Amino acid sequence: MAAVQGGMVDAKDETDIKKEPTSDGFGNNHANDARVLTASPGSSAAAGNNKPAAGAPEEQQTLLAVLQFLRKNKLSESAEILRREAGLPEEVLDPKGSDSTGSGQGGSTEVDGEDASSLLSRVTLPTPGGAKAPSKAGEDQPDVNVVLSAYSQQGDPALYEVYYSGLKKFIESVLDCHRAELSQVFYPLFVHMYLELVYNNHESEAKAFFEKFSGDQECYYEEDLRILSSLTKKEHMRGNETLLDFRTSKFVLRISRDSYQLLKRHLQERQNNQIWNIIQEHLYIDIFDGMLRSKSQIDAMSGSLAGEAKREANKAKVYYGLLKEPEIELPLDDEDEEADNEEGKPKKKKPKKDSTGSKSKKQDPNAPSQTRIPLPELKDSDKLDKIMYLKESTKRVRLGPDNLPSICFYTFLNAYQGLTAVDMTDDSSLIAGGFADSTVRVWSVTPKKLRKVKTAADLNLIDKESDDVLERIMDDKTASESKCLHGHSGPVYGISFSPDRNYVLSSSEDGTVRLWSLLTFTCLVGYKGHNYPVWDTQFSPYGYYFVSGGHDRVARLWATDHHQPLRIFAGHLADVTCTRFHPNANYVATGSSDRTIRLWDVLTGNCVRIFTGHKGPIHALAFSPNGKFLASGATDGRVLLWDIGHGLMVGELKGHTDTIYSLRFSRDGEILASGSMDNTVRLWDAMKAFDDLETDDFTAATGHIHLQDNSQELLLGTYMTKSTPVIHLHFTRRNLLLAAGAYNP
Amino acid sequence: MSAPKTIPKDAQVMMQILKDMGVTEYEPRVINQMLEFTYRYVTTIIEDAKIYATHAKKSNVDADDIKLAIQCRMDQSFTSPPPRDFLLEVARQKNQTPLPLIKPYTGPRLPPDRYCLTAPNYRLKSIQKKVSSSAGRITVPRISVGAVSSRPSTPTLGTPSVQSVSTKVGAPVSLTGQRFTVQIPSASQTATTKPTTPSTPAVSNVLINQSLIGSKNILITTNMVSQSTGGDSLKRKHEDDDDYDAL
């Protein structure tokens, strides 16, 4: 900034000398531009000379660019004077505006392109040299750069093909080791150039460009290319928020320093400034020092709509440890009445510790503090639940590669493809199904039927002091196996039970999330915030909070007693399709149609991790019980395993042939079960997958991953259903696997 | 009746469009649904465009009208989610406020009542008549049959026969959604001997909802207010018609 201003000041001294011969400056665009630049800091004479020249469109562009620059640097008086003298209209100019006015002017000639580059070089030359200087300068002065590059992109649309094929030829000619890395540039460059052509209304050139080069792209971008092929006019882009975001955000590439030097040298030596400008504007090149990446390594991490993740994005500290379980005293069957407290201390019953209780008193350094986020207190009923939980977990079966779980499948019959969401309570006593006809139906899986609470009149009559008051408040006349909840006005896409089994949440295409009571089986609250379909919702592991994600590309954190969200997690480029809480309730993972997974901090709302690598929208997420790892499944049929602490991909499980809709870790984290549209449930050895991880410093620093191709060894079993896609998986407290799906002949 | 062997042209076009967009598997009814949507959409746009053209006093509909029609319809029905920078700004503001503390022991944690759906969505329709001068009397009209007749302005003198009231009340009544009227043969009806009863009437016609607690029912029946003056004869006509319903 300072360097540029210095430049201007220097030029200003020249005005007095150069004032006389300015009158014939029309033909000489370059000289005129220089004069405009120098004239702006308040020299009215020169500005007056430029007035007749302002009529020409190129002059208008330059004037607007300069005006923008002045405003940005807060030289408001100078800006005013320039504006007045040049006779420019009042409206405020923004880069996009200048972009469109620029495009509206029609194609300008090569001369302007050269001017732009020369102006650009004048701007960047004074800045300190270095490998990253051009991109840095570009980032410091985005407005001027954008405006100026609006020039250069107008530089003949017909030449885009030439630029692209030139680059292609260059990249094909480099050494093998560099080629893989530099080929990453093709896809984002192709899409951005195509979108520029479409946005600036060069329809035929855009079509020709697309036909020529779309076949060269990687196979996993096929879906995107198909959508692009139907976009031929600017109006088509208007409603498509994802593409608009893509156009304005920077695609991140991770290239090693050597390859980057190669590329830069090539583009700068041959005066290929246009393509260099495009690269600077639309791509963010994250340079790392060290070994080059191989094609397979690159392929594993690429595929998302925004490129890969910058290294800084995955550097924040994440508290992935679990919260300490509160000490619950198990009621002993005997000697409740033992009274020996000689010292008058309160009676201490030794709590029966079992293996699942936390033995260590020390604070886990990776665990968040208990009060990091406010959590509801434990009620008596919660304590009873916990006791039940501990009792059940003593009877838990230890799973392993030689001891696979039994699988019990709940098939929804006669759903006619209307079953859109399933959830089960933690103790596996209730199943809820969300349907496309906007109903939610709750079933009791145990012989105990579902009962409603009695009406207020009857409640007055019961004996409130009796021991079994909780049984007496239930109205046996209303007992039934299932209850149907009506209220939504669109298909129900997400369902979640609360941990205390009092509430169930459902999210629907009508944009609302509804809270239903499981005591009265009526709807209590409708949370309106997303105005677009809500694809998923989940209660936090401790109740009270819940998260929802939808078509509006954000996930929201709510509390049951606030009618508005507490946190908004914005950052995805496309719909949020899957939302899951971390076991310690401090983080939320969201999977999206832009093929990335983001981890958000509930306390601050910041995105602390970005995981790229899937080649399709993500539909399933699962945290491991120890909180360290995340498993994700998408439409590409792969399950990817992520280390949250380091922010790296640690495993890839290939095997499914269709979209994976459900993932679940067993209760102790030894087995990962995945259910898919290909009508199978597969069991994977999670213990082994996480066992041999070499996360040395180099890996952590650069993010290079070395994935072993051991999917076959990790696969413990494939279980086929009879044409029933598996959309929900649940391990009971004793490690029996339950699965649910709708029969689809 | 032989089915047509060839598919109509626009259905073929729709199949081609689906193929171009990469949709390979679909149920056959999808084509019909897409065609219906297309027809409806195009018709709406063209009708809107015609309106705009007539508004601009043009004789023909031209491309500008269509463009305007499309734009207006887009803003109305096919809205798109807010742009990213707006969302980021809103998120930044929202995420600055700290998470609210949770008050312990507050029972079910729900938003304030106006944001909940727990309020009753019905209202009891109760018709209150003027109380007669003779207090403590419970009079109930007989269910009227036939035409409405004139009402004497004298108050009734019927003595309440409490037993019938109580028996009526005590009887296991299925109160599900029915009118509840109690009939007491007024012992001392003097003047009129018409079947349509005199005066009185304090019918408390209430539409009893299933969820009404039982005690309230009892309350209603004993709260019958008698008496009416000639002034609200009109009103009474209504009620008699309502009484009719109960039969």
Side-chain angles (χ1 to χ4, degrees):
Chain A
M1 277 304 177
V4 176
Q5 280 182 346
M8 281 183 62
V9 167
D10 288 340
K12 186 176 158 200
D13 296 342
E14 299 168 6
T15 20
D16 303 336
I17 307 164
K18 283 198 187 142
K19 237 202 290 195
E20 275 61 47
T22 52
S23 42
D24 60 340
F26 297 170
N28 191 356
N29 276 345
H30 188 63
N32 236 349
D33 290 350
R35 218 119 312 125
V36 169
L37 252 184
T38 59
S40 38
S43 149
S44 44
N49 273 341
N50 278 333
K51 223 189 192 158
E58 296 86 21
E59 297 314 304
Q60 191 81 354
Q61 268 300 351
T62 325
L63 282 172
L64 290 173
V66 175
L67 201 55
Q68 173 72 16
F69 182 75
L70 288 176
R71 286 224 180 95
K72 194 165 179 300
N73 288 341
K74 303 202 180 10
L75 301 167
S76 44
E77 281 190 3
S78 326
E80 268 306 306
I81 291 173
L82 171 63
R83 220 204 66 243
R84 224 182 322 123
E85 300 283 345
L88 289 176
E90 275 277 349
E91 69 267 9
V92 179
L93 197 61
D94 60 318
K96 280 288 170 278
S98 67
D99 207 7
S100 47
T101 51
S103 60
Q105 305 284 351
S108 66
T109 61
E110 290 292 349
V111 182
D112 272 355
E114 275 167 27
D115 284 349
S117 49
S118 55
L119 278 172
L120 179 59
S121 49
R122 268 185 63 213
V123 161
T124 56
L125 268 172
T127 59
K132 290 185 77 166
S135 39
K136 208 184 267 185
E139 275 164 2
D140 285 343
Q141 306 159 45
D143 296 344
V144 174
N145 222 6
V146 165
V147 170
L148 295 178
S149 54
Y151 275 29
S152 53
Q153 270 153 28
Q154 287 184 353
D156 215 348
L159 286 184
Y160 274 28
E161 282 191 33
V162 175
Y163 302 151
Y164 192 87
S165 19
L167 186 65
K168 199 168 132 183
K169 234 182 308 214
F170 165 68
I171 292 183
E172 276 164 14
S173 67
V174 299
L175 294 175
D176 280 352
C177 50
H178 295 293
R179 194 180 314 146
E181 288 203 332
L182 291 181
S183 318
Q184 287 178 56
V185 168
F186 281 142
Y187 176 72
L189 204 59
F190 171 76
V191 177
H192 276 291
M193 285 169 91
Y194 178 76
L195 287 179
E196 275 302 320
L197 289 174
V198 168
Y199 197 81
N200 295 337
N201 295 319
H202 303 301
E203 197 178 326
S204 49
E205 286 96 346
K207 276 202 188 125
F209 185 75
F210 190 88
E211 272 172 32
K212 192 157 176 208
F213 297 115
S214 65
D216 300 333
Q217 309 303 327
E218 300 276 359
C219 53
Y220 40 80
Y221 291 121
E222 198 187 312
E223 289 287 327
D224 286 349
L225 291 173
R226 196 179 302 128
I227 295 177
L228 278 182
S229 67
S230 66
L231 261 180
T232 44
K233 294 197 210 295
K234 189 174 171 185
E235 289 80 33
H236 297 170
M237 280 177 72
R238 250 190 53 191
N240 194 337
E241 286 299 327
T242 302
L243 276 178
L244 288 175
D245 284 350
F246 180 79
R247 208 171 152 267
T248 50
S249 61
K250 286 191 179 246
F251 194 95
V252 177
L253 290 175
R254 304 194 61 237
I255 299 187
S256 68
R257 192 173 291 277
D258 306 328
S259 315
Y260 178 70
Q261 301 277 19
L262 257 181
L263 180 69
K264 193 171 88 115
R265 216 176 319 138
H266 165 81
L267 288 179
Q268 284 192 326
E269 80 191 4
R270 284 217 264 130
Q271 302 303 319
N272 272 338
N273 278 323
Q274 277 78 6
I275 208 168
W276 180 239
N277 293 341
I278 295 174
I279 287 184
Q280 273 183 278
E281 184 187 344
H282 291 298
L283 305 184
Y284 178 90
I285 300 185
D286 194 24
I287 303 177
F288 61 86
D289 294 304
M291 260 183 15
L292 309 164
R293 291 201 289 172
S294 68
K295 184 95 177 63
S296 59
Q297 279 179 316
I298 294 174
D299 273 346
M301 298 289 288
S302 54
S304 99
L305 205 52
E308 303 185 32
K310 300 185 208 174
R311 256 170 311 145
E312 302 90 60
N314 280 347
K315 283 278 173 277
K317 174 141 172 76
V318 171
Y319 295 102
Y320 53 81
L322 302 175
L323 292 177
K324 280 216 285 280
E325 291 290 313
E327 294 266 335
I328 304 276
E329 293 182 350
L330 290 181
L332 301 173
D333 298 322
D334 48 349
E335 85 282 334
D336 254 348
E337 266 57 54
E338 254 185 26
D340 19 349
N341 16 342
E342 300 91 57
E343 294 121 350
K345 273 199 285 209
K347 230 191 304 192
K348 276 206 170 135
K349 299 186 207 145
K350 281 221 171 55
K352 193 162 70 173
K353 279 206 156 87
D354 63 323
S355 56
T356 56
S358 58
K359 291 215 166 65
S360 60
K361 291 286 177 195
K362 281 200 309 258
Q363 172 79 354
D364 181 1
N366 288 320
S369 69
Q370 297 285 122
T371 51
R372 187 165 185 266
I373 60 165
L375 289 172
E377 85 284 359
L378 274 183
K379 299 202 280 274
D380 285 341
S381 52
D382 294 335
K383 292 198 177 117
L384 289 172
D385 276 346
K386 278 246 174 330
I387 293 172
M388 279 304 300
Y389 179 83
L390 292 174
K391 280 199 182 134
E392 290 267 335
S393 46
T394 54
K395 305 197 181 93
R396 189 180 293 167
V397 175
R398 277 252 149 218
L399 297 177
D402 44 358
N403 189 11
L404 296 176
S406 307
I407 307 181
C408 177
F409 200 101
Y410 287 95
T411 312
F412 286 72
L413 297 171
N414 300 328
Y416 302 116
Q417 300 177 342
L419 180 70
T420 45
V422 174
D423 192 29
M424 300 186 65
T425 53
D426 190 63
D427 63 349
S428 326
S429 59
L430 300 173
I431 294 188
F435 295 91
D437 62 357
S438 79
T439 54
V440 173
R441 197 174 265 271
V442 181
W443 281 270
S444 166
V445 169
T446 56
K448 182 168 175 239
K449 295 200 179 182
L450 298 175
R451 290 176 173 75
K452 289 192 198 182
V453 164
K454 285 181 181 160
T455 56
D458 296 341
L459 284 176
N460 273 336
L461 303 174
I462 62 173
D463 173 20
K464 292 184 190 63
E465 302 298 324
S466 63
D467 280 338
D468 57 346
V469 64
L470 291 173
E471 289 301 317
R472 289 186 188 217
I473 58 176
M474 292 306 185
D475 188 357
D476 285 325
K477 286 199 292 259
T478 59
S480 63
E481 287 248 338
S482 76
K483 296 246 183 272
C484 196
L485 303 171
H486 298 274
H488 276 298
S489 48
V492 176
Y493 290 122
I495 282 209
S496 174
F497 278 105
S498 71
D500 55 7
R501 297 196 307 285
N502 284 332
Y503 304 113
V504 66
L505 274 177
S506 60
S507 72
S508 145
E509 178 265 346
D510 61 5
T512 62
V513 179
R514 281 186 183 242
L515 184 75
W516 311 83
S517 161
L518 289 179
L519 294 170
T520 60
F521 292 96
T522 53
C523 182
L524 298 177
V525 194
Y527 299 96
K528 299 181 176 62
H530 300 274
N531 291 323
Y532 296 92
V534 187
W535 301 121
D536 196 13
T537 182
Q538 200 205 22
F539 252 113
S540 92
Y542 299 98
Y544 182 67
Y545 295 111
F546 61 94
V547 64
S548 64
H551 176 64
D552 55 354
R553 302 173 346 271
V554 301
R556 291 167 200 250
L557 180 82
W558 312 75
T560 51
D561 57 4
H562 288 77
H563 64 281
Q564 286 187 334
L566 300 174
R567 290 283 181 266
I568 295 184
F569 304 124
H572 277 292
L573 291 177
D575 307 15
V576 176
T577 48
C578 187
T579 53
R580 286 284 175 268
F581 266 100
H582 189 279
N584 65 18
N586 272 264
Y587 295 94
V588 169
T590 56
S592 156
S593 291
D594 68 359
R595 285 122 43 198
T596 60
I597 300 160
R598 286 178 184 239
L599 194 69
W600 308 86
D601 186 352
V602 163
L603 185 68
T604 56
N606 296 333
C607 175
V608 294
R609 292 284 181 269
I610 302 180
F611 297 126
T612 64
H614 274 295
K615 318 267 189 277
I618 287 131
H619 284 289
L621 288 172
F623 278 99
S624 67
N626 59 9
K628 289 193 196 152
F629 302 104
L630 176 65
S632 60
T635 54
D636 57 0
R638 293 147 72 224
V639 177
L640 295 179
L641 305 171
W642 311 89
D643 179 337
I644 297 173
H646 294 108
L648 300 168
M649 188 194 296
V650 295
E652 179 184 0
L653 303 172
K654 287 194 270 236
H656 279 292
T657 52
D658 207 337
T659 316
I660 294 165
Y661 271 120
S662 52
L663 279 173
R664 195 63 78 121
F665 279 93
S666 67
R667 291 282 173 159
D668 291 315
E670 315 102 347
I671 297 221
L672 173 62
S674 61
S676 154
M677 282 275 285
D678 62 2
N679 307 335
T680 60
V681 174
R682 280 172 201 252
L683 299 178
W684 311 86
D685 190 350
M687 208 54 120
K688 191 159 166 216
F690 296 132
D691 220 5
D692 32 41
L693 290 180
E694 327 146 0
T695 42
D696 50 356
D697 287 328
F698 178 68
T699 324
T702 58
H704 280 202
I705 32 144
H706 238 88
L707 291 179
Q708 309 149 301
D709 191 15
N710 55 355
S711 299
Q712 277 307 110
E713 304 163 7
L714 296 175
L715 178 60
L716 297 173
T718 308
Y719 303 94
M720 271 156 290
T721 67
K722 196 204 284 184
S723 64
T724 309
V726 182
I727 63 172
H728 186 74
L729 290 169
H730 175 80
F731 275 93
T732 63
R733 287 173 176 170
R734 303 194 191 186
N735 270 339
L736 170 70
L737 179 56
L738 303 177
Y743 180 58
N744 187 18
Chain B
M1 181 132 178
S2 61
K5 292 270 184 352
T6 55
I7 306 176
K9 187 152 184 300
D10 36 17
Q12 284 177 347
V13 170
M14 188 53 73
M15 285 167 67
Q16 189 59 41
I17 293 178
L18 284 173
K19 198 166 97 168
D20 280 343
M21 293 308 292
V23 181
T24 47
E25 294 179 15
Y26 48 86
E27 290 187 7
R29 306 259 310 273
V30 168
I31 308 256
N32 296 32
Q33 273 185 315
M34 299 292 289
L35 284 173
E36 276 179 26
F37 169 76
T38 315
Y39 292 151
R40 197 175 65 228
Y41 177 70
V42 174
T43 317
T44 323
I45 297 289
I46 294 183
E47 278 175 0
D48 283 352
K50 245 195 282 188
I51 295 174
Y52 297 140
T54 46
H55 177 79
K57 304 213 182 18
K58 285 188 277 200
S59 54
N60 295 326
V61 178
D62 61 12
D64 284 337
D65 298 321
I66 303 275
K67 279 209 192 101
L68 185 62
I70 292 177
Q71 202 173 339
C72 289
R73 205 37 87 162
M74 279 276 280
D75 294 335
Q76 189 185 331
S77 331
F78 303 107
T79 52
S80 55
R84 193 156 170 242
D85 43 3
F86 176 76
L87 288 174
L88 286 170
E89 183 54 37
V90 167
R92 198 182 57 82
Q93 283 185 351
K94 196 71 144 165
N95 295 345
Q96 272 170 350
T97 56
L99 290 174
L101 293 172
I102 306 178
K103 289 202 267 284
Y105 312 118
T106 45
R109 297 193 163 96
L110 294 176
D113 281 341
R114 42 199 287 259
Y115 300 110
C116 287
L117 302 169
T118 46
N121 55 357
Y122 55 85
R123 200 166 45 93
L124 295 180
K125 178 182 160 192
S126 71
I127 301 142
Q128 299 285 340
K129 297 303 172 71
K130 302 285 192 320
V131 186
S132 76
S133 52
S134 48
R137 226 179 319 167
I138 304 172
T139 53
V140 171
R142 251 179 288 149
I143 296 174
S144 62
V145 182
V148 172
S149 55
S150 63
R151 305 270 162 11
S153 48
T154 54
T156 23
L157 312 166
T159 48
S161 65
V162 186
Q163 296 127 348
S164 42
V165 172
S166 53
T167 47
K168 248 319 192 249
V169 168
V173 186
S174 62
L175 298 172
T176 52
Q178 283 174 7
R179 286 275 156 92
F180 189 89
T181 51
V182 176
Q183 175 177 357
I184 301 180
S186 9
S188 46
Q189 284 295 344
T190 47
T192 55
T193 46
K194 293 183 212 147
T196 60
T197 12
S199 56
T200 36
V203 181
S204 228
N205 285 336
V206 286
L207 189 60
I208 294 169
N209 199 297
Q210 195 165 3
S211 65
L212 268 186
I213 46 180
S215 58
K216 207 169 167 192
N217 287 334
I218 300 174
L219 207 55
I220 290 168
T221 55
T222 52
N223 233 353
M224 305 286 195
V225 191
S226 64
Q227 213 30 307
S228 53
T229 55
D232 32 12
S233 55
L234 278 173
K235 219 156 97 179
R236 193 125 12 108
K237 279 187 203 150
H238 257 308
E239 277 124 34
D240 282 345
D241 288 342
D242 294 333
D243 284 347
Y244 224 160
D245 293 350
L247 291 175

